């Protein structure tokens, strides 16, 4: 198991990676990673480029926290996901451009590309708009993720989850790519949507993707 310092540094590196890749900006978004006794979460309002390991906040499921910083204002949905989905090791929230654009339209993302199977279903749902940081928003997110690994937040952004930080970060990039593909297709015409049966088929094929290593991120190559 990775030590606490390593996890904190990996969280910061992932935050900076997301900003450098252009799928997040400023101090928006947040990341949490499960650890013994609770989870580590990014602090509120600290620029990622300036963040140090000690700035990452340790929180318990009872919402108590320790450290020199206040946790992200979105800690409620991170806490609830960690409490209600024990298989989740990491939650990532971003204000990525294309996911947010579609969320402003209140559109779920349909199966316009087979890679949507990576979110464990044929759609990426969009939850109703609720003020950030509220318990009501947390409840909507947890409900949307009961059988999915990602969702959009109306007029806000996106959330994705994974068994660990590396996998969740990979999925965040994939979800934003699908959102961009869908948005671009909408500019030209009416996208063709793959049937649910095909997405179920792809999900099954993903189970044996690559060299038999379950840590591999699925694709087609």
């Amino acid at each position: 198991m990775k030590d606490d310092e390593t996890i904190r540094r990996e969280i910061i590196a992932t935050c900076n990676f997301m900003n450098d890749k252009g799928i997040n900006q400023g101090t928006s978004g947040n990341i949490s990673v499960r650890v013994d006794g609770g989870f580590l979460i990014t602090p509120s309002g600290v620029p990622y480029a300036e963040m140090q390991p000690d700035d990452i906040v340790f929180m318990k499921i009872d919402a108590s926290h320790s450290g020199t910083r206040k946790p992200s204002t979105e800690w409620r949905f991170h806490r609830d996901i960690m409490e209600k989905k024990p298989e989740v090791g990491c939650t990532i929230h971003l204000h990525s451009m294309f996911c947010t654009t579609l969320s402003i339209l209140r559109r779920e993302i349909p199966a316009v590309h087979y890679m949507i199977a990576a979110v464990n279903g044929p759609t990426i749902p969009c939850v109703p708009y609720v003020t950030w940081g509220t318990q009501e928003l947390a409840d909507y997110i947890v409900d949307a993720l009961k059988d999915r690994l990602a969702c959009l937040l109306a007029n806000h952004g996106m959330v994705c989850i994974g068994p660990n930080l590396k996998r969740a970060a990979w999925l965040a990039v994939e979800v934003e790519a699908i959102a961009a593909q869908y948005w671009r297709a909408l500019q030209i015409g009416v996208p063709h949507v793959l049937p649910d049966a095909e997405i179920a088929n792809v999900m099954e094929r993903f189970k044996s993707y690559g060299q038999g290593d379950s840590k591999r991120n699925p694709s087609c190559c």
Side-chain angles (χ1 to χ4, degrees):
M1 180 177 291
K2 295 178 180 178
D3 62 77
D4 184 86
E5 176 81 6
T6 297
I7 296 172
R8 289 168 181 266
R9 291 188 180 279
E10 288 181 347
I11 290 172
I12 295 170
T14 302
C15 289
N16 285 309
F17 166 76
M18 296 295 183
N19 276 20
D20 291 345
K21 196 168 182 63
I23 62 173
N24 200 52
Q25 54 284 322
T27 60
S28 64
N30 28 77
I31 294 177
S32 66
V33 173
R34 189 186 298 276
V35 294
D36 287 344
F39 59 96
L40 296 171
I41 187 168
T42 48
S44 176
V46 179
Y48 296 132
E50 300 174 10
M51 201 176 293
Q52 298 299 315
D54 286 347
D55 293 323
I56 304 297
V57 181
F58 172 73
M59 289 196 77
K60 295 182 178 180
I61 298 301
D62 66 6
S64 62
H65 61 88
S66 59
T68 60
R69 299 289 192 179
K70 295 188 297 183
S72 165
T73 56
E74 300 283 20
W75 63 265
R76 287 175 177 81
F77 71 73
H78 287 271
R79 185 272 311 273
D80 288 359
I81 289 170
M82 293 295 181
E83 180 180 25
K84 297 176 181 180
K85 297 182 73 67
E87 74 277 12
V88 172
C90 176
T91 298
I92 294 179
H93 166 50
L94 301 174
H95 293 181
S96 52
M97 181 60 69
F98 290 98
C99 282
T100 303
T101 298
L102 292 172
S103 82
I104 290 169
L105 297 170
R106 311 287 175 93
R107 285 178 179 261
E108 71 173 15
I109 303 177
V112 291
H113 193 286
Y114 72 82
M115 278 301 294
I116 203 168
V119 306
N120 201 38
T123 62
I124 299 172
C126 182
V127 307
Y129 179 78
V130 181
T131 304
W132 52 270
T134 60
Q135 186 59 49
E136 186 179 6
L137 178 59
D139 292 343
Y140 275 128
I141 292 170
V142 170
D143 185 60
L145 296 178
K146 65 180 182 295
D147 58 358
R148 293 290 190 276
L149 300 180
C151 67
L152 306 184
L153 318 181
N155 301 83
H156 186 160
M158 61 90 81
V159 171
C160 69
I161 55 178
N164 52 55
L165 178 57
K166 184 176 181 179
R167 183 73 173 211
W170 167 82
L171 184 60
V173 173
E174 288 293 331
V175 168
E176 176 66 358
I178 295 169
Q181 292 158 3
Y182 183 38
W183 183 89
R184 289 183 168 98
L186 287 169
Q187 310 314 301
I188 301 171
V190 179
H192 291 276
V193 177
L194 297 170
D196 290 358
E198 175 56 16
I199 300 306
N201 176 48
V202 173
M203 290 169 62
E204 189 63 29
R205 291 173 68 88
F206 278 170
K207 294 177 182 179
S208 59
Y209 173 76
Q211 305 301 313
D213 180 357
S214 61
K215 295 181 181 179
R216 298 280 183 180
N217 296 323
S219 183
C220 67
C221 305

